[in-house]
Amino acid sequence: MKAGQKYSVLYEALMEEWPLLRWALVFSFFISILMLAPSIYMLEVYDRVVNSRSEMTLAMLTLGVFLAYVVLEVLEWARTGILRKVAEAVDRKVGERIFNTVFEANLRRIPGVGVQPLHDLRTLRDFLPSPPLTGMMDAPMSLIFVLVVFYIHPMLGVLSLVSAVLQVGVAFLTERGTGKPLSEANRFASLAQNYASNSLRNTQVIEAMGMQSGIHGRWLELQRKLLVHQATASDRAGGYGALAKLLQLSTSSLMLGLGCWLILVGSFTGSPGLLMVASILGGRVLAPIVQVIGGWKNVVGAREAYARLARLLEEVPLREPGMPLPPPQGNLVVESLMAGAPGSSVPILRGVGFAVPAGKLLVVVGPSASGKSTLSRLLVGVWPAMSGKVRLDGVDIFPWNKAELGPHVGYLPQDVELFEGTIAENIARFNEVDLARVEEAARSVGLHELIMSLPRGYETNIGDEGCFLSGGQRQRVGLARAIYGQPRLVVLDEPNSSLDEQGEAALAATLQSLKARGATVVVVTHRVNVLQFADLMLVLQEGAVRLFGPRDEVLLALQRAAQPGAAPAPVPMAA
């Protein structure tokens, strides 16, 4: 059952644990056999002890059944431990892959993914050692109990078989009745959770503009739909569960009543104790199915979690890492680039092409919505292109293994994204903290003195998304992170949008330092004060290159174009 790559990750992870699962099934067989111990004990007491009045026989039978109980509990404990080990092994084998797939899906802005796959993995992990699964493992042994009851008397066997069939019918009705509402309830639960998480990231905006009522109302609507479907599923599951228990209880009594009737009409000549055994076994035939029906919500949840994970792993394959490459020198070439937001067919960039030699600084300018931020994302290999390439030292940057390339690239997005942790951890990109290099990066952006004024210095925790820092401080921490480790390619998207005069001076010093050590720098900006450091200049307009070339030539062309009735002068492409 290996459908190409579709189910390979999850299925193969489970199949690798088949030896342990096989032991769990073997234990299930002996557990089911040992479940007969009370019935056998009862039969022997009635047949041997009551007639022989032997205390020694009673003592030995009692000791035997006690030992059977001990073995039974040990086997159940061992089976649960085995299933827990299987769950942990599967989590260990596929956890990293699923995390990376979730990361890739969010990077591509695939809607509705969020962190749900991580919850799905936990659902699968919790299901493996759960009672519904052990009930499924015990269910096949019900056939043995049916055969034993047939051996006692065929009519009793027929009754137990009919009861089992009816119980399977109840299970089928449970699936039909609860499957869809449970699926919808899970979907709305995921939507409500994602909506709440996204809203909590913008609490200041919500509070300042009095949006809480509207946001809360929308969340409540999702919760209402969740509760409606959940209530429907619970009502139906409760009804079918009650019917299943009714069948189980009724079967035991009906077996006993039928046995007595068989004695009265002379069709049963065996020991009366066998009737008690048949009655108990009739109930045991249905017990595993009742156990599964009782935990049907978990069964549906695990099945849907598996399906969602399998679908996600199929739809979002990870990028194959290329062959190991030497550290880049920084020669950047963009070839006929056409690109848009991931998942969208509308191009934002149209035929963009230019080249930046290693060690040069390019300033990208243009009106809003001209594609500057999109270009910056493609330059660091975050977004894929519809067509064309971004090459660094002649190598396509998008499929380049980011674990290998990342230390040589610095990136500051327009919306600075910091993470829960210390200042040192954020600057060091959450790798092993080299405090000397962290301090060097902080000094380069003029942040060292500010950090040292904090109570714990570089060990100060900045909170979720850097909430304990001001906008300018977050931007400077992000800038320090971008230049940490002396990367060869640095892309800065609006690096001075939140900076004060001191921050502007620190940025200017940083750009000079980057140029001095030969890094290739691309700065997206609206502010002209960065132009004094530029070697090259690119003007984007409506997603296309309007002008590109040496800074002074582009500025001259813009000045001429600004004159009344003038057309933009052609600017030669930089070599």
Side-chain angles (χ1 to χ4, degrees):
M1 182 184 166
K2 182 179 177 182
Q5 297 299 314
K6 188 173 183 179
Y7 298 98
S8 61
V9 175
L10 292 174
Y11 181 73
E12 289 180 7
L14 285 169
M15 288 302 98
E16 286 176 8
E17 302 305 315
W18 174 244
L20 284 177
L21 289 172
R22 187 165 54 231
W23 275 110
L25 290 171
V26 171
F27 287 173
S28 296
F29 172 79
F30 287 105
I31 287 170
S32 298
I33 295 297
L34 289 171
M35 286 291 185
L36 299 175
S39 303
I40 296 173
Y41 177 73
M42 181 187 302
L43 179 62
E44 292 300 313
V45 166
Y46 277 112
D47 281 354
R48 294 178 182 273
V49 178
V50 172
N51 292 330
S52 67
R53 308 186 68 82
S54 170
E55 294 181 358
M56 179 61 70
T57 302
L58 178 61
M60 295 305 295
L61 287 172
T62 303
L63 177 61
V65 77
F66 175 76
L67 291 175
Y69 290 157
V70 170
V71 174
L72 173 63
E73 293 304 319
V74 168
L75 289 177
E76 287 193 335
W77 171 78
R79 179 175 67 175
T80 301
I82 286 173
L83 293 176
R84 187 172 58 252
K85 285 184 178 180
V86 170
E88 292 171 354
V90 171
D91 182 273
R92 188 168 57 251
K93 289 174 181 176
V94 304
E96 182 179 0
R97 169 66 190 277
I98 290 174
F99 181 88
N100 291 337
T101 303
V102 170
F103 182 85
E104 185 76 16
N106 283 275
L107 188 64
R108 300 184 191 180
R109 296 187 174 183
I110 297 177
V113 175
V115 296
Q116 182 62 40
L118 302 180
H119 295 305
D120 288 340
L121 178 60
R122 184 183 63 191
T123 298
L124 283 178
R125 185 181 63 233
D126 293 343
F127 176 74
L128 284 170
S130 68
L133 182 62
T134 57
M136 292 179 182
M137 290 182 167
D138 292 337
M141 293 305 301
S142 298
L143 294 175
I144 293 179
F145 298 150
V146 171
L147 293 176
V148 173
V149 175
F150 264 104
Y151 175 77
I152 294 173
H153 196 281
M155 289 188 67
L156 295 175
V158 169
L159 178 58
S160 65
L161 185 60
V162 169
S163 299
V165 171
L166 289 176
Q167 198 71 280
V168 171
V170 172
F172 175 75
L173 292 175
T174 303
E175 158 66 12
R176 289 287 300 273
T178 63
K180 185 174 181 179
L182 277 177
S183 177
E184 287 296 296
N186 290 335
R187 185 172 70 87
F188 281 110
S190 176
L191 290 174
Q193 179 179 338
N194 290 336
Y195 185 77
S197 299
N198 293 334
S199 299
L200 290 175
R201 295 194 187 101
N202 299 284
T203 52
Q204 295 180 17
V205 173
I206 293 171
E207 175 68 15
M209 294 190 288
M211 297 167 59
Q212 185 173 355
S213 177
I215 297 293
H216 183 229
R218 188 165 184 177
W219 178 79
L220 279 180
E221 179 62 20
L222 292 173
Q223 283 290 102
R224 186 191 65 79
K225 292 178 180 179
L226 156 66
L227 294 174
V228 166
H229 290 292
Q230 199 169 59
T232 301
S234 296
D235 289 344
R236 293 177 182 177
Y240 290 127
L243 180 58
K245 293 185 73 173
L246 174 63
L247 278 173
Q248 184 183 17
L249 294 173
S250 301
T251 298
S252 297
S253 298
L254 288 173
M255 296 282 287
L256 188 59
L258 177 60
C260 289
W261 180 78
L262 291 173
I263 292 176
L264 293 176
V265 298
S267 296
F268 187 81
T269 57
S271 168
L274 289 175
L275 297 181
M276 297 296 295
V277 172
S279 175
I280 294 172
L281 289 181
R284 282 298 311 162
V285 167
L286 307 180
I289 305 176
V290 173
Q291 188 175 358
V292 173
I293 293 174
W296 193 253
K297 181 179 178 181
N298 295 333
V299 175
V300 173
R303 185 182 64 195
E304 291 191 346
Y306 183 94
R308 282 193 297 266
L309 287 174
R311 185 167 57 250
L312 177 68
L313 293 172
E314 177 197 9
E315 294 175 352
V316 189
L318 297 181
R319 282 176 273 179
E320 293 293 333
M323 60 181 294
L325 296 169
Q329 296 301 307
N331 292 295
L332 182 66
V333 177
V334 176
E335 302 173 347
S336 303
L337 196 63
M338 180 172 288
S344 172
S345 60
V346 179
I348 298 173
L349 298 177
R350 300 175 179 85
V352 173
F354 58 88
V356 184
K360 299 297 183 181
L361 191 152
L362 167 69
V363 169
V364 180
V365 298
S368 297
S370 59
K372 300 187 300 297
S373 292
T374 298
L375 177 62
S376 68
R377 294 184 181 104
L378 273 90
L379 292 181
V380 294
V382 173
W383 283 4
M386 295 176 179
S387 63
K389 301 286 184 185
V390 175
R391 298 188 184 275
L392 187 62
D393 291 357
V395 180
D396 186 356
I397 199 170
F398 179 71
W400 198 329
N401 185 355
K402 296 304 184 290
E404 178 184 291
L405 176 64
H408 306 290
V409 172
Y411 177 48
L412 179 67
Q414 187 172 358
D415 297 321
V416 181
E417 298 168 343
L418 301 180
F419 305 95
E420 172 74 35
T422 66
I423 292 177
E425 288 173 328
N426 272 273
I427 293 177
R429 307 180 180 191
F430 283 86
N431 294 315
E432 183 177 352
V433 176
D434 184 335
L435 197 55
R437 298 171 73 186
V438 169
E439 185 176 329
E440 177 188 3
R443 286 183 182 276
S444 297
V445 300
L447 200 57
H448 176 71
E449 289 73 17
L450 172 64
I451 294 174
M452 295 310 296
S453 69
L454 299 173
R456 300 191 61 191
Y458 283 91
E459 294 302 312
T460 300
N461 194 298
I462 64 174
D464 187 26
E465 297 185 349
C467 62
F468 299 149
L469 302 177
S470 69
Q473 290 168 346
R474 285 198 298 270
Q475 195 153 40
R476 288 163 77 177
V477 171
L479 182 58
R481 179 182 62 189
I483 68 172
Y484 174 80
Q486 299 187 346
R488 300 301 302 173
L489 172 64
V490 179
V491 179
L492 309 176
D493 190 355
E494 300 288 354
N496 48 2
S497 60
S498 300
L499 297 182
D500 55 15
E501 185 177 346
Q502 184 181 4
E504 291 273 9
L507 175 62
T510 300
L511 294 177
Q512 289 177 313
S513 174
L514 289 171
K515 286 188 64 176
R517 64 176 177 80
T520 304
V521 184
V522 178
V523 181
V524 174
T525 185
H526 282 101
R527 300 190 181 182
V528 296
N529 56 349
V530 179
L531 291 175
Q532 59 183 309
F533 309 107
D535 300 298
L536 301 168
M537 187 172 175
L538 171 68
V539 180
L540 281 179
Q541 187 171 3
E542 297 181 352
V545 176
R546 179 185 174 192
L547 297 169
F548 172 70
R551 177 198 60 192
D552 294 338
E553 295 184 17
V554 172
L555 288 175
L556 180 60
L558 288 175
Q559 291 172 359
R560 291 174 178 172
Q563 295 175 1
V571 178
M573 299 292 286

